[in-house]
Amino acid sequence: MPSPRLKEASQVFLYSCCPTPLFNVTESQKTVSKSGSTSSDWRRDFVQTTAASIFPNTRFTNHETLPSLEESFLEFIKAYPQYYETHQVDDIRDQEYYHLSLSNHACLDYIGIGLFSFDQLQKQKDPQFPSSSCSSPSLFSSPSQSLSFPFFSISYKTGNLKVQLLHGGQESELESSMKRRIMEFLNISESDYSMVFTANRTSAFKLVADSYPFKTSSKLLTVYDYESEAVESMINSSEKRGAHAMSAEFSWPRLRIHSSKLRNMLVSKKKQKRKRGLFVFPLHSRVTGARYPYLWMNVAQENGWDVLIDACALGPKDMDCFGLSLLRPDFLICSFYKVFGENPSGFGCLFVKKSAISNLEDSTSTGIVNIVPAKELLQLADESSVTDLELEQTTQIGLEEAGLSSSSSFSGPLSNQTPRSPKLEQGESSNIQNIEITARLEEPQNLEMGKSEIPVEHDKRTRAGALDFECRSLDQVDSLGLIMITNRARYLINWLVSSLLKLEHPNAEGFRLVKIYGPKVKFDRGPALAFNIFDWKREPVEPVLVQKLADRSNISLSYGFLHHIHFPDKYAEEKNSVLKTRGGGSNQIAPNNLKGKCDQGISVVTAALGFLANFEDTYRLWAFVAQFLDADFVEKERWRYTALNQNTIEV
């Protein structure tokens, strides 16, 4: 009998190919669908209906003429009526993450998977704390108060990755329970894969680079349309060990994988039994939202490549339909943060297929960490009489010794410039025994589109002497299910894309305020967005400036750098105007200082919708961007903050 997860995954595949209507359809469309529809038909209908439903035949040239939040929501529901079936997400947000509403904060910069809820954080501080959205904001208005109750801490250690994977090491009960819960959540079998915790995403990539046998399998092939500090760290370490690094390219203007070039790099012309190298493949872009065909993993494996899957940008339930048991990558990396919108610190996870461990080389590396109760770190601090600042500096040294930047967030905000950048825990106290984590019981679920009526149940008994605690955010995601989370994100991101493209400069007919890179309105695009804002002079507004202005409106955005862009002959004339040579300015993202690179690409603003995002979050971003239709908007903001004795923004 198939497991509930397998059934749900098959449902997702079915709906993605022949979905039920996701929006209002006309009678003529119903007639067409009855006569026989295909996956491509449904995708085309989705795009056409979205275009016809979201502000049809309308262009906004003045931010003051935008429809209100209420009016826009009514139009949104007309286009996507099944959004109402995702109300359970709103219930969870109201009950468990009420700080988002009370602070009026739109978090559009989180990447990774959350572990705990904000309400859980408050109860961890004070077991008598009331859990309701009516709680006073003053009770938790200080970020430092919340950050001082982190649930756990990480301790750094230097060791041999291969030995650690084969024989393990000393683990706290907390770490053992956390490991089991994560593997159960990701549907990864302990009999097939071994796992280590890492300081962050970057350290996980570097650990693989330091241990992979590049002497015999010399090639490293990566598939990233944006610059990633983690990938750059892997490339630098690999090349020092003799690897030949290559990258896929992405064709302008849609930024799809340049298929013929990638195939030529993957496919071996000679029949050889030895491994060719390591193929690093993200399932989709965490910047543009582009999804990539799983076919490339099969092509790589058939041609002698080991495969590393970067799952850090996946949605919280996307692993349920990944088909891990069929594709069986050699390595898989993902990341987790503590509390959405509040505490982005956490850890990375590196999974290695057990049959591949013997191929690794012995190497002494930093980046592996242990998960320990926060109070143990505090006890150490009390015994040595160190200050909170010294405690933070001690943890910081662990990252610096690993050659890793503490601002390189494995999860949480994408950019290291945001005010909510990850901080190491200081002055922590944790009543960790009061928390409990258990595996979700596998029970049949109502698999109707967007519905999950079976509540999450928890086995609160101690198993094998392990510490029980609750990762409430993981439990919530399990209860919602893949279908509901995927549909909700699909409605929101496509409304946002369509609405942004409705903004045009006045007195410049047809000149759009926003340029979107990668997929636009698309049925199966990911919930991430890369864009630039252009002023009336047709010059892009600096992404860092957009991020700072958004932050003043309590909207958290990030920025990135698109690269490896291929221009076909018919777009060759656009190349010089589109690509910019990145220097050492403020828009530089994760520079490759070790190699002195100064490559070409596009600096972009990025937004990412987590599973807790709602319509108001997307509307607020749209309304904020529309303010740039006012040619004096940036100058007004500069003068306003100067008058308030704030630091001015350098344009």
Side-chain angles (χ1 to χ4, degrees):
M1 180 176 179
S3 69
R5 282 188 170 179
L6 182 59
K7 289 175 64 180
E8 187 173 16
S10 65
Q11 288 281 351
V12 172
F13 176 79
L14 173 64
Y15 285 127
S16 65
C17 293
C18 300
T20 58
L22 301 175
F23 35 71
N24 286 336
V25 293
T26 64
E27 290 302 321
S28 60
Q29 287 174 317
K30 290 180 181 179
T31 302
V32 172
S33 64
K34 287 180 180 179
S35 63
S37 61
T38 64
S39 172
S40 60
D41 291 335
W42 276 111
R43 283 164 168 75
R44 183 173 60 253
D45 289 346
F46 178 85
V47 173
Q48 292 175 348
T49 304
T50 297
S53 304
I54 307 299
F55 307 123
N57 304 316
T58 304
R59 294 291 181 267
F60 298 101
T61 59
N62 187 331
H63 69 282
E64 295 180 349
T65 65
L66 294 187
S68 67
L69 171 62
E70 294 74 15
E71 293 170 334
S72 299
F73 183 69
L74 290 175
E75 293 299 315
F76 171 76
I77 287 300
K78 288 180 182 178
Y80 308 116
Q82 291 195 351
Y83 180 80
Y84 272 133
E85 296 187 8
T86 71
H87 68 88
Q88 289 170 273
V89 180
D90 297 305
D91 295 340
I92 289 174
R93 176 173 169 139
D94 291 341
Q95 296 168 10
E96 301 279 345
Y97 303 88
Y98 38 85
H99 65 298
L100 299 174
S101 298
L102 291 170
S103 63
N104 196 32
H105 186 197
C107 296
L108 304 177
D109 61 342
Y110 269 65
I111 293 292
I113 301 172
L115 293 169
F116 311 109
S117 75
F118 181 80
D119 183 67
Q120 193 178 5
L121 178 66
Q122 296 304 307
K123 289 182 177 179
Q124 181 69 8
K125 292 168 55 178
D126 180 4
Q128 303 302 318
F129 188 85
S131 58
S132 71
S133 58
C134 62
S135 303
S136 170
S138 63
L139 290 175
F140 51 87
S141 57
S142 172
S144 61
Q145 289 180 343
S146 297
L147 290 174
S148 66
F149 291 83
F151 298 99
F152 62 84
S153 295
I154 58 177
S155 63
Y156 299 83
K157 61 181 180 181
T158 300
N160 186 313
L161 175 62
K162 184 175 182 178
V163 172
Q164 179 73 22
L165 291 168
L166 286 173
H167 306 294
Q170 287 188 337
E171 292 183 349
S172 66
E173 291 183 352
L174 171 64
E175 181 170 347
S176 298
S177 297
M178 181 74 78
K179 182 177 292 187
R180 283 196 302 272
R181 180 65 181 101
I182 286 175
M183 295 188 79
E184 185 266 348
F185 177 79
L186 296 175
N187 204 19
I188 295 177
S189 170
E190 292 187 59
S191 62
D192 295 328
Y193 286 85
S194 293
M195 168 190 168
V196 295
F197 290 106
T198 65
N200 52 32
R201 178 173 178 254
T202 299
S203 59
F205 274 79
K206 190 173 186 300
L207 281 167
V208 176
D210 290 342
S211 303
Y212 188 79
F214 286 112
K215 291 181 180 179
T216 55
S217 307
S218 61
K219 294 183 178 181
L220 173 65
L221 177 55
T222 59
V223 186
Y224 288 83
D225 60 1
Y226 66 95
E227 187 172 73
S228 162
E229 185 174 352
V231 177
E232 291 300 312
S233 175
M234 167 176 269
I235 291 174
N236 291 331
S237 297
S238 301
E239 288 184 335
K240 288 179 181 178
R241 300 183 60 238
H244 171 54
M246 306 177 291
S247 174
E249 292 188 351
F250 302 85
S251 298
W252 183 263
R254 296 186 178 183
L255 298 186
R256 293 176 175 174
I257 292 176
H258 190 320
S259 299
S260 59
K261 182 171 183 178
L262 180 56
R263 183 173 292 276
N264 287 338
M265 289 189 286
L266 283 174
V267 176
S268 174
K269 296 180 180 179
K270 300 179 181 179
K271 292 185 178 181
Q272 50 186 0
K273 293 184 178 180
R274 70 181 182 88
K275 291 287 186 179
R276 300 189 65 202
L278 182 62
F279 179 58
V280 183
F281 187 75
L283 298 178
H284 74 253
S285 170
R286 65 190 292 181
V287 171
T288 65
R291 294 190 185 273
Y292 305 132
Y294 293 176
L295 170 67
W296 291 115
M297 289 180 280
N298 290 329
V299 173
Q301 290 171 333
E302 290 171 358
N303 285 274
W305 293 81
D306 290 316
V307 175
L308 184 156
I309 296 301
D310 178 2
C312 293
L314 286 182
K317 290 297 291 178
D318 284 356
M319 283 294 291
D320 279 7
C321 67
F322 172 54
L324 186 68
S325 60
L326 297 177
L327 297 170
R328 295 181 59 79
D330 301 276
F331 308 90
L332 187 142
I333 294 174
C334 63
S335 59
F336 293 83
Y337 57 83
K338 289 179 180 175
V339 181
F340 179 78
E342 181 67 21
N343 191 334
S345 63
F347 50 75
C349 297
L350 169 61
F351 299 89
V352 182
K353 188 166 63 176
K354 289 189 174 180
S355 60
I357 296 176
S358 60
N359 298 327
L360 298 179
E361 296 181 353
D362 291 313
S363 65
T364 301
S365 303
T366 53
I368 301 175
V369 300
N370 285 122
I371 307 298
V372 298
K375 67 173 185 177
E376 292 186 7
L377 194 60
L378 286 179
Q379 289 172 353
L380 177 62
D382 291 339
E383 292 170 1
S384 58
S385 300
V386 299
T387 65
D388 290 347
L389 178 60
E390 290 171 334
L391 184 60
E392 180 181 2
Q393 290 173 340
T394 300
T395 317
Q396 170 75 8
I397 290 172
L399 283 174
E400 292 175 349
E401 289 179 346
L404 305 171
S405 169
S406 62
S407 63
S408 170
S409 179
F410 43 83
S411 58
L414 262 172
S415 167
N416 57 18
Q417 299 296 323
T418 60
R420 288 156 300 283
S421 59
K423 289 184 63 179
L424 276 300
E425 298 76 28
Q426 48 185 319
E428 300 168 355
S429 62
S430 176
N431 201 12
I432 199 74
Q433 285 85 352
N434 291 336
I435 314 174
E436 97 185 2
I437 191 172
T438 53
R440 179 170 63 93
L441 295 179
E442 295 287 352
E443 293 197 10
Q445 296 187 11
N446 183 341
L447 292 176
E448 281 187 62
M449 174 82 68
K451 294 184 179 179
S452 179
E453 298 179 355
I454 300 299
V456 178
E457 299 185 26
H458 306 286
D459 179 4
K460 299 185 178 182
R461 295 170 298 177
T462 300
R463 291 175 300 174
L467 182 68
D468 285 340
F469 66 105
E470 177 185 10
C471 284
R472 194 176 296 172
S473 183
L474 300 186
D475 295 338
Q476 291 159 353
V477 167
D478 276 338
S479 70
L480 294 171
L482 174 63
I483 295 173
M484 182 185 297
I485 292 174
T486 302
N487 285 342
R488 184 181 175 95
R490 176 180 296 124
Y491 307 145
L492 292 173
I493 193 66
N494 280 290
W495 180 90
L496 178 60
V497 169
S498 181
S499 298
L500 287 173
L501 295 177
K502 299 289 184 178
L503 304 177
E504 291 187 0
H505 280 283
N507 305 318
E509 187 174 352
F511 179 46
R512 288 174 172 166
L513 176 70
V514 175
K515 167 70 176 177
I516 293 175
Y517 303 92
K520 297 180 177 58
V521 175
K522 192 174 182 181
F523 180 83
D524 54 357
R525 63 160 297 137
L529 180 66
F531 66 96
N532 269 325
I533 298 172
F534 288 79
D535 61 24
W536 63 276
K537 297 177 183 178
R538 306 197 176 207
E539 293 294 328
V541 180
E542 181 67 38
V544 176
L545 173 60
V546 175
Q547 183 202 40
K548 290 181 177 179
L549 291 175
D551 194 65
R552 292 178 179 179
S553 297
N554 230 8
I555 301 171
S556 297
L557 300 175
S558 190
Y559 55 85
F561 189 76
L562 301 177
H563 63 172
H564 299 312
I565 302 174
H566 169 75
F567 284 79
D569 291 341
K570 64 179 179 179
Y571 296 109
E573 295 181 359
E574 298 182 27
K575 183 175 182 178
N576 291 334
S577 61
V578 171
L579 298 183
K580 303 297 180 183
T581 300
R582 186 195 52 201
S586 61
N587 66 334
Q588 188 167 355
I589 311 294
N592 192 339
N593 291 327
L594 295 177
K595 299 175 66 177
K597 280 187 178 180
C598 189
D599 57 353
Q600 289 189 318
I602 308 170
S603 294
V604 295
V605 184
T606 66
L609 304 184
F611 86 95
L612 290 168
N614 62 13
F615 180 77
E616 183 176 354
D617 291 336
T618 58
Y619 177 86
R620 288 181 58 197
L621 175 56
W622 182 51
F624 162 74
V625 171
Q627 294 182 85
F628 286 86
L629 291 170
D630 181 354
D632 297 324
F633 170 63
V634 174
E635 197 63 26
K636 289 177 182 177
E637 285 293 300
R638 189 205 312 271
W639 281 108
R640 183 170 73 88
Y641 263 69
T642 301
L644 294 174
N645 296 318
Q646 302 267 352
N647 292 329
T648 59
I649 292 179
E650 297 296 332
V651 181

